[in-house]
Amino acid sequence: MILLAAAVATLASWVPMRWPTADPASLALLQDTPINCLLLEPHNFSPAFIDKAHQQGIAVVGVTNQPTTANLDAILSDVPIPQSKIPVYPLVPRSA
């Protein structure tokens, strides 16, 4: 229960942004911004990028419907992923 509370507290403090690249150098664009969480599509699950983001204190969340071995902090998915070893949060569709 304490672990769940810690995960929710972390989630509440994230300021997310969809990120279109796996180039570690692109993380320099986030300096002096409030963005501290990047949402990545599976084709951008680069270990070098994720490691550099973590070194800079940036959480990395995958937007996928599949379990992954990438070193992500969480997954956003529109389907349950019961076999995931990291937190999976529901991807809520945008309203029209």
Side-chain angles (χ1 to χ4, degrees), residues 6-92:
V8 171
T10 300
L11 179 64
S13 67
W14 286 346
V15 178
M17 180 175 186
R18 282 192 181 260
W19 203 249
T21 179
D23 178 7
S26 70
L27 292 168
L29 296 170
L30 296 175
Q31 260 185 316
D32 301 321
T33 73
I35 305 300
N36 64 0
C37 175
L38 297 179
L39 308 178
L40 295 182
E41 301 288 335
H43 61 274
N44 287 325
F45 291 178
S46 156
F49 179 86
I50 294 170
D51 288 346
K52 176 112 177 171
H54 285 157
Q55 290 169 9
Q56 294 182 3
I58 299 170
V60 181
V61 177
V63 181
T64 182
N65 291 332
Q66 302 293 321
T68 180
T69 58
N71 188 23
L72 301 171
D73 296 288
I75 292 176
L76 283 178
S77 177
D78 54 9
V79 298
I81 307 175
Q83 64 274 36
S84 179
K85 297 189 183 330
I86 58 175
V88 177
Y89 298 105
L91 181 61
V92 180

